[in-house]
C-alpha cells in the first residue's frame, strides 16, 4: 500500500511540475509578444524614444524570465530570441524599418517554442 501512495505522489508531483512549467512558458511568451506588438505600434506612430525604452524593458524581462525557461527548454530555441531582442534595440536606436520584420520573427519564434511544448500527438510520438 505504501508503494501505491508513493507512486501516486510521484505522478502528482510530475504532473504539477509539467503544468506549472507550461503555464510559466505560456505567460512569459504572451507578455513578450504583447510588448513586441506595442513596440511595433509605437514605432509606426513615430514615438521612437518610447519604443526604445520599451524594447530595453522587454529585453530585460526576457533575460530574467529566460533563466527559468532554460530549465525546460533547449538553448537552441532561447539564444536566437535573446539575440533578436538585442537586435531590435539596435534597430530602433538607428531608426531602421527592419524593426517590423525582426519583431515578427521573434513573435513567430516565441509561438513556435510555446507550441512545441504543448503535448500533441505529433510531439509525443
Amino acid at each position: 500500500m505504501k508503494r501505491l501512495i508513493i507512486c501516486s505522489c510521484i505522478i502528482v508531483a510530475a504532473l504539477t511540475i509539467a503544468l506549472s512549467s507550461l503555464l510559466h512558458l505560456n505567460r512569459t511568451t504572451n507578455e513578450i509578444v504583447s510588448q513586441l506588438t506595442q513596440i511595433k505600434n509605437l514605432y509606426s506612430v513615430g514615438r521612437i524614444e518610447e519604443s526604445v525604452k520599451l524594447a530595453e524593458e522587454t529585453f530585460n524581462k526576457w533575460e530574467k524570465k529566460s533563466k527559468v525557461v532554460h530549465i525546460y527548454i533547449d538553448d537552441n530555441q532561447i539564444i536566437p530570441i535573446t539575440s533578436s531582442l538585442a537586435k531590435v534595440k539596435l534597430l530602433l536606436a538607428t531608426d531602421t524599418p527592419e524593426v517590423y520584420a525582426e519583431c515578427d520573427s521573434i513573435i513567430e519564434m516565441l509561438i513556435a517554442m510555446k507550441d512545441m511544448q504543448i503535448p500533441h500527438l505529433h510531439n509525443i510520438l
Side-chain angles (χ1 to χ4, degrees), residues 37-103:
T37 305
Q38 288 177 356
I39 289 170
K40 288 187 337 184
N41 292 338
L42 287 172
Y43 183 76
S44 67
V45 175
R47 295 163 59 183
I48 297 172
E49 292 178 9
E50 292 177 31
S51 63
V52 170
K53 190 179 291 185
L54 184 60
E56 182 72 32
E57 291 173 11
T58 304
F59 181 78
N60 292 336
K61 181 181 280 190
W62 174 252
E63 282 289 312
K64 290 177 186 173
K65 297 222 177 200
S66 69
K67 291 176 183 175
V68 176
V69 174
H70 270 287
I71 295 170
Y72 51 89
I73 300 287
D74 292 332
D75 286 343
N76 60 357
Q77 291 180 342
I78 294 174
I79 292 172
I81 294 171
T82 305
S83 63
S84 292
L85 282 170
K87 188 176 179 182
V88 166
K89 292 190 307 186
L90 293 174
L91 291 173
L92 286 169
T94 58
D95 195 18
T96 307
E98 293 176 11
V99 171
Y100 298 114
E102 196 66 34
C103 287

Side-chain angles (χ1 to χ4, degrees), residues 4-57:
L4 181 64
I5 293 172
I6 292 173
C7 288
S8 299
C9 291
I10 291 172
I11 290 172
V12 168
L15 287 174
T16 302
I17 291 170
L19 288 175
S20 65
S21 65
L22 186 62
L23 290 174
H24 178 264
L25 180 66
N26 191 24
R27 189 176 331 114
T28 301
T29 55
N30 287 340
E31 288 175 8
I32 301 298
V33 166
S34 70
Q35 286 186 336
L36 286 169
T37 305
Q38 288 177 356
I39 289 170
K40 288 187 337 184
N41 292 338
L42 287 172
Y43 183 76
S44 67
V45 175
R47 295 163 59 183
I48 297 172
E49 292 178 9
E50 292 177 31
S51 63
V52 170
K53 190 179 291 185
L54 184 60
E56 182 72 32
E57 291 173 11

